[in-house]
Every structure is written in C-alpha cells, then in structure tokens.
Amino acid sequence: MPNLENAIHDDANRLAYANIKHRLLVIQKGGGDKKIAKQHAKGKLTARERVAALVDKSSDFLEFGSFAGYGMYKEHGGCPAGGVVIGLGRIQQRLCVIVANDATVKAGAWFPITGKKNLRAQEIALENRLPIIYLVDSAGVFLPMQDEIFPDKEHFGRIFRNNAQLSSKGIPQIAAIMGSCVAGGAYLPIMSDESLIVEGTGSIFLAGPYLVRAAIGEHVDQETLGGATTQTSISGVVDYKCEDDQTCLATIRDLVDKLGARPTSGIDRKEAVDPAVPSSEIYARFPDVRTKPYRTLSILETIIDADTFTEYKPDYGRTILCGYARVDGWAVGIVANNREIIKTASGEMQFGGVIYSDSADKAARFVMNCNQKRIPLVFMHDVTGFMVGSRSEHGGIIKDGAKLVNAVSNSTVPKITIVMGNSYGAGNYAMCGKAYDPRFIAAWPTARIAVMGGSQAAKVLLQIQLAGKDKPSQEEQDALLKKISERYDAQTEATYAASRLWVDEIIDPATTRPFISTCLEAANYGIIEPFNVGVLQT
C-alpha cells in the first residue's frame, strides 16, 4: 500500500476518534457546569470525581456505556451517559465493577437507558464474579417515563433481583448512600453486603417527607426520617456513618482491601511480548472507506504479541481468519473477518468480509476447538453478511451458517467482541454480536451495525415504497433515495449503537490491545461451564 494511502487512512481514523473524544468531553460534564457547581456547594463530589477518588491512582478506569442515551430523550432535556457512570476499576489492586449515579443529570433519576446500563453493570459482575461497588445518589424512577422503566423483566425491579443473585453466588457488594436513596431504590444498598451513608447529604427511606405527609398525615423532616444518624444509630439499617464523601470512599477502599482471595478460571497467561508492529500503526492499516479491501492480519499484528499467531486452516475458508495467539500474554483464539479479495484453489473469487460456506464451517470448528481447550475467543468484525445467490443456497449456506451460529451460541469460554467496521445481518450474529452474550463488546468509531448496508437497504426500501404507485420522476426517486439513505446511515453509526448499549463502549482503535487484556483479566474470575453444542448438522 502506498505511503500516501497509509497517511490518508491514518488521518481519517485519528479524526474519527477525535470526533468521538470531543463528544465524550461534553457527555462527561453530565448536567453541565451549573449542576456541577450546585453539587459542590452541597459538599458533594460528582459521580466521576467519586470514581476517580475511589480507584487506585496508578490505574485507569475502564468506563462502559459513556454514550448511553446519546441523542435520546430530547423532549426531556437528554440524559448524558444515562445518568450513571459504570466501568471496571482497580481498588487496592483488585478489579471491581463500579456504579456511580450522576446527580447532575435529573437528580440521578432513572430513565429507561439508566436501568439498562445498571443491569449491564450487574451482568458484568455476575458473569465475571467481580466485586461491585454502588455509589448511590438518585431521586429514583424518572416519573414521566415510569411505564418504560418500572414493571417489566429488564426494568428497575430487576436490579434488586440481581442484588439477591449476586449475594447468593458470594459476589461482594458494597453500597454507599452519598445522596438521595428513595422508594424502591432503597432496597439496593440494603440488599448489598455492607452499606455506608454520608452524614448531612445521604438519606434513605421508602417514602420521603412529602409522601409520608400525604399518605399518613405525619410531619417529619428528611434527616429525622432517614438521615445518617437515624439509619445507623436508631434503625441499624446502615452499617457505617461517614462524615463526608472523601471519608466514605476511603472506607470503601479499606473494606475492599480486606476481601479474601478469589479463584480464577485458569485462562492461560505468560509474560507479555510487545506486538510486532506498534499499536499506533493501526490507524494507517485500516481503510478510511468501508468498501476497501485490506489484510486483516496486518491489523492483528498491531494487537497480538509478536510471533504468537498460529493460523488455523490458512488455505481453507479464507474469508474468515482463525488462529491462536496471545494478547498481552493472555492465550486467545481469534475469529476475524478477512477483508482481502480471495482466489480459491478452484479459481473462484470470493469477496472479503463475506461469510461463505467453507468459512462458516472452518470458524464453527475453530470455536468448538477453543471451547474444548478452554481458550477465550476474540471476535473481530468487518462483515457484510453471508453469501447469497443460487450457488450458495444449493451449497447449503444456511446449514453451514447455522453450524457457526450454534457453536457461538453454546460457547462457554469468555467471548470478547470488537466491531471494527461493518457488522451486518446474520454476520453480526455469527461473529458474536450483542445477542450472543459476549462478556464484553466494543466498537471502533468506524463501526457500522445494521441488518444490511445503507445503500442496499435504501434501495430495497425505495422499491417497497414505490410498489403499486405511479412511477415518480427520476429526480423524485433520487430525492427519496437520498432521504432514506441518510436516515438509515444515521442508524448504523457507532454512536447510535453505543447510545442503546448494543456495544459497551466506543474505543480508540489503538487501545484495542489493553481493552482486550483488561476484559480477559476480568473474565478470568468467572466460571467456564462444560461445552455442549447440542444438535449440529454436518
């Protein structure tokens, strides 16, 4: 590839992430400077300040769901980051899940996406058996949308069910009441193993003073009803009373410091070796146009440890690249869409990024092998879907695709998914998209997730809209096609997927290696169940 083309790719990919980072800076302000100042005036830290004070100074906080709610709830003023900060952080060198309500966003009230994001944090703790820390500061359910957050299986009440499930599995839960904790939300800290409350700012009760007055006619102030002294000295509901946020967070660190050792699942790890190519080179190696072919192996060279890749069936099913490698010392099996144009031994040309029968067959067998060997799987997406047409149908593409989907569905080793580029249709499923329970899933800014590519979808939708109508002029057809394409393309953007938590986070491509490594470290505390694929057509 000419150096000029490399430079174009590099510039385009750096700019794409710079745009993401710019939006993140706005999101991370939560409710804005005025709300932050108001929080400080009460003697309270913001959610992100609390997280920063809680985690070890020498470590990074791996945030998930930064874009949750992005572009949503405009009629209610928006909900930056879903009104809650979640992620993986080290506390006393121990990896923990951290959940911190952002009271600068609608007083920390729960929107539908807030509930989904909180449930995702608990899911991460459950799957990976990690301690989970809740920093509670919330006014409860956002009442104008209560019908979309309160009663269903994946709504607000599921949080407390998960509290009980985490407890039954011996997964530590520590909750700090650092602001409001009202109504049903009061169950979360009290269903945790231990709870703390900040004097003067923390309060917890099933009904606040106004509701108490309306319900039973009793006049009582907030502190007397459920302040720190009441709930630690009178009711005994809360375990520790802390004078301020800083003391509360320091106490949590002390509690985590005394936690007992945790068993691991035995994922193999050796001393890490740097990649053969610096991670910063990844920008130049990934095309700026989603239809351009490229060597996927050249991307992997910037991520995996040097000289550790053993390719599986390199001359068969070449539109999917499979092989064993190490990432930061961790043993992994890699399943990646190969975007090269392939000429098979029989002389047939195959399109890069398309899954053919032989590719599906190879990948299914490789996934099963990794499960047999208890090796985690890393899926790297740039897939336009399965091959269509009479030749593929006669060759049994549905059967071979089903074989791969079956293997991925029943896989029990940890699965980590990176959506680099296209992730369309059943290709998303076969490559372990969100519906197939990856332990963690991230996207690059270049990711596109949809049932099919924008141009194809727009043409199909145009044909449907025009069916049965008097044929409009070419100019009218072009205008309609443009309108449909723009709407569809907006729905395939990485930020659209991230706002709905179809992916955990949009990451800088150059940080793919440390992202995978941290996720594998978390996954190593989970349990790997026995593998059984059930009925599998051969």
Side-chain angles (χ1 to χ4, degrees):
M1 189 183 294
N3 287 335
L4 177 60
E5 194 168 5
N6 276 0
I8 291 171
H9 296 169
D10 187 278
D11 286 348
N13 286 310
R14 288 179 187 273
L15 179 61
Y17 185 68
N19 288 334
I20 292 295
K21 198 169 181 180
H22 177 73
R23 294 182 218 184
L24 276 175
L25 292 174
V26 177
I27 289 169
Q28 288 168 356
K29 288 224 172 185
D33 291 332
K34 288 184 179 179
K35 293 291 179 66
I36 292 171
K38 190 175 179 181
Q39 184 99 333
H40 288 162
K42 294 177 181 178
K44 296 163 65 176
L45 300 173
T46 66
R48 294 181 188 282
E49 288 168 344
R50 287 168 176 167
V51 171
L54 182 61
V55 300
D56 297 345
K57 301 304 179 189
S58 59
S59 68
D60 293 325
F61 177 65
L62 181 56
E63 187 171 349
F64 295 135
S66 299
F67 276 89
Y70 182 77
M72 299 166 66
Y73 313 121
K74 291 179 181 178
E75 69 277 22
H76 298 296
C79 186
V84 62
V85 178
I86 73 167
L88 294 176
R90 295 183 194 282
I91 304 173
Q92 302 289 23
Q93 300 183 18
R94 186 184 292 262
L95 203 60
C96 299
V97 178
I98 300 171
V99 181
N101 298 117
D102 186 350
T104 70
V105 179
K106 295 290 191 296
W110 289 52
F111 283 68
I113 198 67
T114 316
K116 188 173 183 178
K117 188 170 173 180
N118 275 269
L119 288 169
R120 176 60 181 141
Q122 289 184 317
E123 181 182 45
I124 291 169
L126 275 165
E127 287 186 332
N128 303 290
R129 295 188 171 250
L130 294 173
I132 181 166
I133 314 298
Y134 307 98
L135 307 180
V136 183
D137 193 350
S138 171
V141 166
F142 184 63
L143 291 178
M145 302 189 75
Q146 65 86 25
D147 61 322
E148 297 180 49
I149 180 61
F150 173 66
D152 209 349
K153 181 179 178 180
E154 299 299 329
H155 283 179
F156 187 69
R158 188 79 170 182
I159 299 291
F160 318 123
R161 175 265 186 194
N162 286 350
N163 280 138
Q165 289 281 304
L166 285 155
S167 183
S168 73
K169 298 179 189 304
I171 299 168
Q173 300 178 86
I174 299 172
I177 303 155
M178 308 184 78
S180 296
C181 185
V182 62
Y187 288 109
L188 184 147
I190 310 312
M191 292 185 74
S192 298
D193 301 334
E194 293 183 284
S195 57
L196 308 87
I197 188 167
V198 178
E199 196 169 8
T201 56
S203 59
I204 176 169
F205 30 62
L206 289 182
Y210 293 113
L211 183 52
V212 168
R213 186 182 306 173
I216 63 173
E218 181 185 358
H219 291 254
V220 61
D221 64 79
Q222 183 164 301
E223 276 298 307
T224 303
L225 183 64
T229 299
T230 294
Q231 300 294 23
T232 57
S233 302
I234 300 174
S235 72
V237 165
V238 180
D239 304 311
Y240 305 93
K241 181 169 69 172
C242 305
E243 63 183 54
D244 54 28
D245 279 13
Q246 290 84 352
T247 305
C248 182
L249 297 167
T251 305
I252 294 173
R253 287 182 55 81
D254 288 341
L255 293 173
V256 172
D257 183 52
K258 311 305 186 298
L259 291 176
R262 289 289 182 191
T264 62
S265 64
I267 300 172
D268 187 65
R269 191 182 195 187
K270 292 185 176 178
E271 187 175 347
V273 177
D274 289 339
V277 177
S279 295
S280 59
E281 288 293 314
I282 203 166
Y283 305 116
R285 295 181 172 220
F286 193 75
D288 61 313
V289 178
R290 295 302 333 111
T291 54
K292 285 185 180 179
Y294 62 92
R295 287 180 63 250
T296 302
L297 188 56
S298 74
I299 302 297
L300 297 183
E301 287 172 345
T302 69
I303 298 169
I304 64 175
D305 295 13
D307 300 321
T308 63
F309 189 64
T310 303
E311 190 170 355
Y312 177 76
K313 292 190 177 183
D315 298 320
Y316 178 73
R318 291 168 59 196
T319 63
I320 289 187
L321 187 69
C322 298
Y324 305 103
R326 290 190 183 273
V327 176
D328 197 29
W330 296 100
V332 296
I334 294 175
V335 181
N337 301 113
N338 187 15
R339 287 302 304 266
E340 293 181 277
I341 304 296
I342 304 298
K343 186 175 183 180
T344 66
S346 62
E348 177 191 3
M349 299 301 293
Q350 293 185 343
F351 299 102
V354 178
I355 302 176
Y356 291 78
S357 286
D358 54 355
S359 302
D361 177 71
K362 177 176 84 170
R365 181 60 182 249
F366 181 73
V367 167
M368 289 187 281
N369 280 346
C370 286
N371 276 271
Q372 186 79 357
K373 297 176 179 181
R374 297 170 67 86
I375 299 173
L377 285 157
V378 176
F379 293 85
M380 308 284 289
H381 286 219
D382 197 351
V383 57
T384 53
F386 283 85
M387 191 59 189
V388 297
S390 59
R391 183 171 181 177
S392 292
E393 297 294 353
H394 296 170
I397 186 68
I398 296 174
K399 179 185 72 175
D400 291 316
K403 188 189 303 182
L404 176 53
V405 170
N406 190 324
V408 172
S409 299
N410 287 297
S411 178
T412 59
V413 296
K415 297 172 290 190
I416 297 167
T417 297
I418 308 293
V419 185
M420 304 184 295
N422 304 322
S423 186
Y424 295 149
N428 172 277
Y429 302 160
M431 293 294 293
C432 196
K434 180 67 173 179
Y436 289 78
D437 296 325
R439 292 283 184 96
F440 300 95
I441 177 170
W444 290 358
T446 44
R448 298 290 181 271
I449 301 174
V451 72
M452 66 178 72
S455 60
Q456 300 97 313
K459 289 173 184 175
V460 170
L461 290 168
L462 178 64
Q463 291 176 45
I464 293 171
Q465 285 195 224
L466 295 178
K469 295 181 179 180
D470 294 333
K471 188 173 181 180
S473 68
Q474 187 61 49
E475 185 177 319
E476 290 172 327
Q477 288 187 48
D478 290 344
L480 185 55
L481 182 63
K482 183 174 183 291
K483 182 180 178 181
I484 294 171
S485 296
E486 287 174 351
R487 185 181 74 242
Y488 195 90
D489 285 342
Q491 293 175 355
T492 67
E493 290 281 339
T495 51
Y496 191 91
S499 70
R500 288 151 180 81
L501 296 179
W502 301 345
V503 296
D504 289 321
E505 190 70 351
I506 302 173
I507 63 171
D508 179 353
T511 65
T512 303
R513 174 180 164 89
F515 176 86
I516 293 172
S517 179
T518 301
C519 292
L520 286 169
E521 180 185 351
N524 196 31
Y525 290 102
I527 293 175
I528 300 177
E529 301 287 351
F531 176 62
N532 189 338
V533 294
V535 176
L536 188 65
Q537 294 191 43
T538 57

